[in-house]
């Protein structure tokens, strides 16, 4: 067995992401305290986000729209122009957050490049993901960039065919069971799960620790050594 293609998630795999979404959510909770208890706001926002995914997709812009919708539902006729303005400002701050890389990302990508082609496979808003990649300074370390609307088994099947590899010659690594791990395994690839604190509930799922091609890793830096055991 030889691994020829290594696919990596971006948000919360290469750089911090959910910490910024969680901070923005806390800001919304504080704004809506006159209208709802904190847990009610959080639950309503999650419900709204999940409902809107098929319309807005993933990313900060869709999240901002869901925050506004949550405010409309909870504040009702008491929703003020200033509150909407504050929510929009929080959304802009989220879009402009700095890109903070995890430790040893450069070294890890260079090590993986010695094993096979490394491709970024991330979902979300195209413009925002492109801007984060540019700010990260990692672009030249990838053989390809794939920004997709969602990650499903057929997404990975298409990517493997595009790069001319069989599924069993590919690895996907990321922090999401729903988007990175389970669909890659279903497509026939190997998958490394690298969980992070503060993960979005929507991205959770069953840990497939009984799957022969699955591995749970503590950090991205452990990925090259595991891939070498496959290759």
């Amino acid at each position: 067995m030889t691994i020829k293609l290594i696919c990596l998630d971006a948000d919360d795999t290469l750089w911090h992401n959910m910490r910024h979404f969680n901070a923005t959510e806390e800001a919304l909770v504080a704004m809506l305290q006159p209208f709802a208890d904190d847990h009610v706001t959080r639950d309503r926002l999650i419900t709204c986000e999940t409902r809107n995914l098929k319309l807005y997709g993933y990313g900060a812009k869709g999240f901002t729209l869901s925050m506004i919708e949550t405010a409309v539902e909870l504040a009702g006729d008491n929703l003020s122009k200033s509150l909407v303005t504050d929510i929009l400002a929080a959304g802009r701050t989220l879009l402009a957050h700095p890109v903070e890389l995890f430790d040893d990302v450069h070294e890890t990508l260079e090590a993986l490049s010695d094993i096979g082609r490394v491709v970024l496979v991330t979902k979300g808003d195209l413009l925002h993901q492109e801007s984060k990649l540019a700010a990260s300074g990692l672009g030249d370390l990838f053989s390809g960039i794939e920004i997709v609307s969602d990650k499903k088994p057929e997404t990975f099947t298409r990517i493997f065919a595009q790069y001319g590899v069989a599924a069993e010659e590919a690895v996907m690594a990321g922090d999401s069971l729903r988007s990175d791990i389970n669909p890659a395994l279903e497509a026939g690839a190997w998958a490394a799960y690298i969980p992070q604190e503060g993960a979005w509930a929507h991205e959770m799922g069953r840990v497939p620790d009984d799957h022969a091609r699955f591995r749970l890793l503590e950090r991205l830096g452990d990925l090259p050594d595991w891939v070498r055991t496959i290759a």
Side-chain angles (χ1 to χ4, degrees):
M1 179 68 64
T2 299
I3 295 300
K4 298 179 179 178
L5 187 69
I6 302 158
C7 300
L8 296 176
D9 175 49
D11 293 333
D12 290 311
T13 298
L14 303 179
W15 53 69
H16 292 282
N17 181 63
M18 277 307 300
R19 62 165 59 171
H20 302 292
F21 276 83
N22 291 336
T24 306
E25 178 179 319
E26 290 305 310
L28 178 71
V29 168
M31 293 179 206
L32 295 182
Q33 280 180 341
F35 311 107
D37 291 337
D38 293 1
H39 73 276
V40 173
T41 299
R42 291 190 181 94
D43 289 345
R44 188 66 62 89
L45 178 60
I46 291 172
T47 299
C48 190
E49 282 185 90
T50 303
R51 183 175 67 239
N52 287 337
L53 279 175
K54 62 181 180 293
L55 298 173
Y56 305 146
Y58 295 86
K61 294 175 184 176
F63 183 71
T64 301
L65 290 172
S66 291
M67 287 197 296
I68 293 173
E69 188 172 332
T70 299
V72 170
E73 293 177 1
L74 294 179
D77 293 339
N78 293 315
L79 181 67
S80 65
K81 178 181 177 180
S82 63
L83 179 55
V84 175
T85 299
D86 289 343
I87 294 172
L88 288 171
R92 284 193 294 271
T93 299
L94 179 59
L95 280 165
H97 72 73
V99 174
E100 304 167 88
L101 298 178
F102 285 108
D103 294 338
D104 303 323
V105 166
H106 281 91
E107 295 82 355
T108 301
L109 290 177
E110 289 171 354
L112 291 171
S113 296
D114 291 335
I115 301 171
R117 285 180 292 171
V118 182
V119 173
L120 185 71
V121 182
T122 185
K123 67 183 181 183
D125 178 78
L126 177 62
L127 179 61
H128 194 203
Q129 293 300 88
E130 286 179 337
S131 67
K132 286 192 285 186
L133 178 60
S136 75
L138 300 176
D140 292 341
L141 297 174
F142 292 101
S143 297
I145 307 295
E146 302 294 330
I147 301 175
V148 298
S149 59
D150 202 355
K151 295 176 185 175
K152 299 178 179 179
E154 53 267 32
T155 308
F156 289 103
T157 298
R158 175 187 60 78
I159 290 172
F160 301 155
Q162 179 179 334
Y163 288 89
V165 301
E168 61 270 19
E169 298 173 322
V171 170
M172 176 66 199
D175 70 298
S176 169
L177 290 164
R178 178 189 177 278
S179 296
D180 300 320
I181 305 308
N182 292 326
L185 291 173
E186 189 173 338
W190 300 73
Y193 176 43
I194 311 167
Q196 301 296 333
E197 293 183 3
W200 187 20
H202 179 74
E203 296 296 331
M204 297 299 186
R206 188 186 73 85
V207 177
D209 49 13
D210 55 346
H211 198 294
R213 291 180 177 168
F214 169 79
R215 181 63 60 92
L216 173 65
L217 301 177
E218 291 187 4
R219 49 191 289 274
L220 182 65
D222 297 332
L223 183 61
D225 285 343
W226 178 61
V227 174
R228 290 189 191 100
T229 68
I230 304 170

